[in-house]
Amino acid sequence: MTLARLSSTPEPPPFRTAVRSLFENARLEAFFFSLEGTVFDEAAMDGGEAVIAETVSLLGRLAEASGSAVAVLGERSFAEIDRRLAPLRLPGCASGGLELRALDGTTTRLRCEGDLDPVRRLIARPGAVASGVRIVDEGLSIALVHGDDTELAAAARATARDAVALAPAVFAMRFRAGVTRIGFAGASLGRAMHRLMNDPALIERIPIVFGGGRGDDEIHAAARDFGGTSIEVGGRCDHAADFALPGMNDVRWLMRDFLAALEEA
């Protein structure tokens, strides 16, 4: 079964009216959350620990009500994701798609050519990274956290370009709001989502995808590949999603509505 498009008109209807059919089909759906920008802020906590605790609680309740059909998609490692979402240990992908955790808890890692040591040596050189840019070594990627400062963002991206130039076939850079990452060229959230949707426990489900940044256009496309619906979170206008929500508070609101629909079904 596939979910019909929510509107046949060129302009989508008002959001709440449009998603009404999603609530009606909630038992048939699987929920994917791209963590950075939808569950927690990429460069800082959104609203503090109390907001994170509420979001973790909602994720857990949604996973239970949907029959474990909730997955997370993250740029960080599973170790970091599990720490921030404790006590949950959800299926999904980490490290930009290089790590995959199936619904049965089995975790696999894609083989990477080489390692990030040349990048580590580059950014360790004096002056290689602009003052004010925070370096976070995530194991399978290195994050240059610059926030909303446009000069720092430009400097971080220049550093990332220099790093990729060390081995263009091996390394790649990825962008999120406030963060530039240097990682492996094979990382892809979209391909990871395709693998997750072919898990026997999800293969009959319809994906509902929440993304929050330019790097999430590939998961919006993956949602369409499986007849699903994608929702962009944040103020970006040039997104590839079906719908948009202003911010993370709106994600929590929508999670509560899905929970209510599942509990009534």
Side-chain angles (χ1 to χ4, degrees):
M1 178 179 180
T2 58
L3 182 66
R5 291 270 50 105
L6 298 178
S7 173
S8 59
T9 59
E11 294 294 325
F15 187 78
R16 188 153 197 155
T17 302
V19 298
R20 197 164 293 157
S21 67
L22 299 184
F23 300 144
E24 294 167 357
N25 289 304
R27 283 289 173 196
L28 305 174
E29 294 162 353
F31 303 92
F32 293 82
F33 295 87
S34 178
L35 290 173
E36 293 86 359
T38 68
V39 173
F40 47 75
D41 193 291
E42 176 70 300
M45 297 291 248
D46 174 44
E49 294 290 345
V51 171
I52 295 298
E54 180 189 7
T55 304
V56 170
S57 174
L58 287 169
L59 282 171
R61 290 171 58 197
L62 189 60
E64 182 178 1
S66 65
S68 301
V70 170
V72 293
L73 313 172
E75 295 285 353
R76 296 168 170 85
S77 67
F78 270 128
E80 176 64 11
I81 290 170
D82 291 345
R83 184 188 70 80
R84 296 191 72 174
L85 297 184
L88 301 181
R89 190 175 183 273
L90 295 171
C93 72
S95 300
L98 294 176
E99 297 179 280
L100 196 76
R101 181 184 289 161
L103 269 71
D104 64 5
T106 303
T107 302
T108 56
R109 178 185 290 185
L110 294 182
R111 187 172 65 88
C112 301
E113 297 293 336
D115 55 44
L116 288 173
D117 286 348
V119 176
R120 294 184 178 100
R121 288 192 291 270
L122 172 68
I123 64 176
R125 296 174 187 168
V129 179
S131 176
V133 174
R134 182 163 53 92
I135 303 169
V136 181
D137 193 327
E138 301 171 325
L140 292 176
S141 61
I142 295 172
L144 304 177
V145 184
H146 44 73
D148 296 330
D149 188 302
T150 54
E151 290 187 5
L152 287 181
R157 291 181 183 186
T159 300
R161 284 192 292 272
D162 290 342
V164 171
L166 295 170
V170 177
F171 304 133
M173 58 180 176
R174 306 191 297 274
F175 307 114
R176 291 275 179 175
V179 177
T180 298
R181 269 187 178 81
I182 309 159
F184 291 98
S188 168
L189 294 179
R191 287 195 294 270
M193 188 178 151
H194 271 260
R195 296 197 297 274
L196 287 165
M197 279 300 298
N198 281 287
D199 188 300
L202 293 182
I203 201 163
E204 297 294 331
R205 298 271 188 153
I206 302 163
I208 307 297
V209 174
F210 293 83
R214 190 172 304 280
D216 284 339
D217 282 346
E218 62 179 328
I219 66 171
H220 296 323
R224 286 192 293 276
D225 290 341
F226 290 94
T229 299
S230 58
I231 301 163
E232 173 76 7
V233 181
R236 189 165 67 99
C237 297
D238 58 340
H239 61 80
D242 298 307
F243 301 101
L245 288 174
M248 284 180 270
N249 283 333
D250 302 280
V251 176
R252 290 185 280 273
W253 161 79
L254 200 53
M255 290 167 72
R256 294 186 197 98
D257 274 359
F258 274 116
L259 269 171
L262 287 164
E263 289 166 357
E264 291 173 4

